Amino acid sequence: PVASAAQLSNHPAVRAELQRGIDALNQAQSRVAAIRRFVVLAEPLSIAAGELTATLKIRRKAVLERHGARVEQLYAQEAPSP
């Protein structure tokens, strides 16, 4: 059976693979520029939902209106151990 986007966004193997990629990218970044936490959305940001402009720039206000609770959860989590 084919998994839905929602199922894949929460699948441990998907999150682990994304974390490996982020860890590799973070090696080339300064500590302040490093990605510390992330969320995998079940649906991509889209122009139709008003989250992206026609040139694919993120509309922060629209994203925060729709996904603000998830963003707040990221900042509310305890800082990971170094």
Side-chain angles (χ1 to χ4, degrees), residues 1-55:
V2 177
S4 71
Q7 290 170 321
L8 289 174
S9 69
N10 291 316
H11 195 283
V14 171
R15 292 195 56 82
E17 187 61 30
L18 288 170
Q19 186 64 61
R20 277 192 289 277
I22 289 169
D23 290 345
L25 290 171
N26 280 345
Q27 289 179 359
Q29 299 296 323
S30 66
R31 181 160 164 75
V32 296
I35 298 168
R36 295 184 195 119
R37 297 178 208 116
F38 65 94
V39 171
V40 181
L41 300 174
E43 298 295 326
L45 301 180
S46 71
I47 295 170
E51 299 159 329
L52 298 174
T53 66
T55 58

